């Protein structure tokens, strides 16, 4: 595929939140004190720099992530989108997503984002139970979550909702009811994430001190996941990625760029990117700390901290790891064009026998059982062939 025809997206990281959630391990900082003009200027410098390296490309998707991007003033969002348009131009059907929290959502702000060019909103509800919202450190109430969805629906044709399961003391009956209520709010897309406790977070410290009771065991976690598959399917939301469900045609096209191994530019503190330049694919990273990122952009003209050129084997491994998250799976022809070493055929045959993977129309597809152990499945596919001891 010629690099000019490779789909291109832009991820822009906004690192600030009103408060840091106890389960969060993202690059986020609790403050509402920021210089809007300085952030606008530095985002512009980074966009200009990357545009010089990706000439003749057209931007197909933009994703404002964080942090809490709904803390961004609409005029800042507008300045970023204007700079992108001037540097690359937008595809006619460009998807422009902004993440929002109910606690920083109001009609005037949503109207400003829509006027700036945002056409898809992703709202982080996480729960429709007030007790659980408090446990999760969220600043909004159930009523505010419902109101945010209603307000968003009046400004954006495309709407996604984030919900978390596997929470403390959550039962299967309660989860089924809560998920049904969420779908009834009206949305074309759902992201359903199991609560994971990461080291370095407040929840991680509590778990280590045995102060995080009520987390589900493995059997309940499997049942919660199965219930999500069932209820979403019954309501016309098909699972197209391991944690994402959508109505036909409503998949998040920006995230599909990641999972299908296409190009995306990472801008802002802690943002990662993948870009193809002169036929070579690079992985990029940026400085984590917001103040340091701003200083580097101002003084050196770049917030990039690392650029690594990926070998064909590395590209194949990364593509396999990402694409097996999708219901459509991985394209075997594309893998063979990159390398002859991935995946390991011996392991592939064994995993097919075990019912964890299927081969359909020259694609590798993780089965329902395989998707529940996806990390170990991918490790097996990427591991060296098992050699039998030589016999005399």
């Amino acid at each position: 595929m010629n690099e000019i025809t490779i789909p291109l997206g832009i991820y822009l990281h906004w690192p600030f939140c009103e408060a840091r959630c106890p389960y969060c391990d993202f690059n986020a900082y609790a403050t509402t004190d920021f210089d809007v003009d300085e952030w606008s200027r530095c985002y512009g410098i980074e966009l200009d720099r990357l545009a010089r390296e990706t000439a003749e490309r057209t931007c197909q998707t933009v994703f404002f992530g964080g942090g809490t991007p709904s803390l961004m003033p609409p005029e800042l969002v507008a300045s970023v989108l204007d700079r992108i348009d001037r540097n690359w131009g937008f595809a006619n059907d460009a998807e422009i997503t902004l993440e929002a929290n109910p606690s920083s959502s109001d009609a005037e702000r949503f109207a400003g984002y829509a006027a700036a060019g945002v056409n898809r909103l992703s709202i982080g509800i996480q729960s429709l139970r007030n007790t659980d919202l408090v446990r999760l450190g969220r600043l909004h109430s159930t009523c505010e979550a419902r109101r945010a969805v209603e307000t968003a629906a009046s400004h954006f044709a495309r709407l996604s909702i984030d919900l978390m399961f596997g929470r403390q003391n959550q039962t299967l009956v309660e989860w089924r009811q809560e998920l049904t209520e969420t779908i009834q709010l009206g949305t074309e897309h759902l992201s359903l994430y199991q609560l994971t406790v990461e080291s370095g977070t407040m929840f991680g410290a509590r778990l280590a001190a045995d102060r995080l009771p009520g987390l589900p065991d493995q059997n309940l976690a499997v049942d919660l996941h199965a219930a999500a598959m069932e209820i979403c399917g019954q309501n016309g939301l098909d699972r197209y990625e391991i944690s994402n469900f959508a109505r036909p045609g409503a998949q998040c096209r920006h995230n599909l760029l990641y999972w299908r191994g296409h190009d995306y530019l990472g801008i802002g503190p802690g943002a990662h990117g993948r870009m193809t330049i002169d036929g070579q694919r690079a992985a990029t990273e940026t400085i984590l700390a917001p103040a340091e990122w701003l200083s580097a952009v101002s003084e050196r003209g770049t917030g990039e901290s690392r650029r690594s050129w990926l070998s064909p084997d590395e590209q194949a491994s990364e593509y396999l790891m990402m694409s097996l998250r999708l219901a459509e799976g991985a394209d075997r022809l594309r893998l063979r064009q990159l390398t002859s070493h991935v995946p390991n055929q011996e392991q592939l045959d064994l995993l097919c026998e075990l019912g964890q993977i299927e081969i359909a129309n020259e694609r590798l597809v993780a089965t329902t059982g395989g998707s529940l152990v996806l990390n170990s499945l991918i490790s097996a596919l990427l591991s060296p062939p098992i050699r039998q001891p030589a016999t005399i």
Side-chain angles (χ1 to χ4, degrees), residues 224-237:
L224 295 170
H225 184 268
M229 298 264 295
E230 174 195 342
I231 293 170
C232 287
Q234 290 172 346
N235 286 274
L237 292 154

Side-chain angles (χ1 to χ4, degrees), residues 220-276:
L220 177 55
V222 169
D223 289 343
L224 295 170
H225 184 268
M229 298 264 295
E230 174 195 342
I231 293 170
C232 287
Q234 290 172 346
N235 286 274
L237 292 154
D238 297 325
R239 192 186 76 154
Y240 71 98
E241 191 270 342
I242 198 165
S243 300
N244 287 273
F245 301 76
R247 302 196 186 282
Q251 297 90 342
C252 178
R253 287 189 280 120
H254 181 84
N255 286 341
L256 283 173
L257 291 180
Y258 303 156
W259 298 319
R260 288 174 174 167
H262 295 313
D263 282 6
Y264 54 97
L265 309 179
I267 294 169
H272 290 248
R274 296 292 184 274
M275 53 197 294
T276 305

Side-chain angles (χ1 to χ4, degrees), residues 257-315:
L257 291 180
Y258 303 156
W259 298 319
R260 288 174 174 167
H262 295 313
D263 282 6
Y264 54 97
L265 309 179
I267 294 169
H272 290 248
R274 296 292 184 274
M275 53 197 294
T276 305
I277 302 173
D278 296 330
Q280 301 267 326
R281 186 164 171 82
T284 63
E285 300 175 24
T286 60
I287 295 167
L288 288 169
E292 292 179 18
W293 181 85
L294 286 171
S295 295
V297 174
S298 294
E299 295 169 11
R300 298 191 287 110
T302 176
E304 193 172 300
S305 58
R306 184 179 181 186
R307 179 174 296 194
S308 306
W309 297 100
L310 302 177
S311 70
D313 279 358
E314 288 172 327
Q315 292 180 55

